[in-house]
Amino acid sequence: MNKNLKNWVDITSGVNVLKCMRCGKCSATCPSYDEMEYHPHQFVYMVEKGNIEPLLNSKSLYKCLTCFACVERCPRGVEPAKVVEAVRLTAVRQQGNNHLIPDMIPDMLDEDLPQQAIVTAFRKYTK
């Protein structure tokens, strides 16, 4: 367990992961559930235990839509999306882990893509 990494994620997310009772309601409401290797309740539990390295290397980080459905559903106010976002930020800040560069954007654009998606993509996938 890397305590510095766990502390960084705890501070960045602002979430008390100890409040989670692992009911799974957050995961049950997640629209990306089928696409994710680790589900919202698993992110929270793994951060609680300090097992963050597998999360940093997981494609699940980039499958989360940050729609906050999990936050709305949580009976304890744990806010799993903020945990995922903090782990994602940690991964992005590590050298060489950017998944989107500006030159890729023109090929991804179409008339149905909202501009907010582009702004969100840059926030999530660039330093």
Side-chain angles (χ1 to χ4, degrees):
M1 173 170 86
N2 184 337
K3 281 191 148 194
N4 290 335
L5 198 54
K6 181 187 178 333
N7 289 340
W8 169 255
V9 171
D10 287 342
I11 291 167
T12 304
S13 70
V15 172
N16 181 357
V17 293
L18 296 174
K19 290 176 23 179
C20 179
M21 61 184 181
R22 290 181 277 296
C23 66
K25 288 183 179 183
C26 57
S27 294
T29 194
C30 179
S32 296
Y33 181 89
D34 292 335
E35 302 292 321
M36 297 177 82
E37 174 185 6
Y38 299 109
H39 303 110
H41 75 281
Q42 291 171 312
F43 265 88
V44 173
Y45 180 71
M46 290 171 79
V47 168
E48 176 187 336
K49 296 301 179 191
N51 191 16
I52 298 170
E53 291 294 330
L55 298 174
L56 292 172
N57 299 312
S58 172
K59 297 288 185 191
S60 295
L61 279 180
Y62 307 100
K63 298 293 182 176
C64 173
L65 301 172
T66 321
C67 66
F68 288 83
C70 57
V71 172
E72 293 296 321
R73 189 79 169 115
C74 180
R76 306 276 312 243
V78 175
E79 302 179 301
K82 289 185 178 182
V83 174
V84 174
E85 189 74 15
V87 175
R88 182 187 297 138
L89 180 61
T90 303
V92 166
R93 287 187 172 180
Q94 291 180 350
Q95 184 71 19
N97 279 344
N98 288 339
H99 291 272
L100 182 68
I101 56 174
D103 294 339
M104 295 168 60
I105 298 295
D107 294 334
M108 302 168 96
L109 294 177
D110 68 33
E111 59 190 43
D112 296 326
L113 183 69
Q115 290 180 353
Q116 181 62 34
I118 298 167
V119 172
T120 300
F122 273 112
R123 180 175 54 84
K124 289 181 184 177
Y125 305 126
T126 60
K127 290 183 184 179

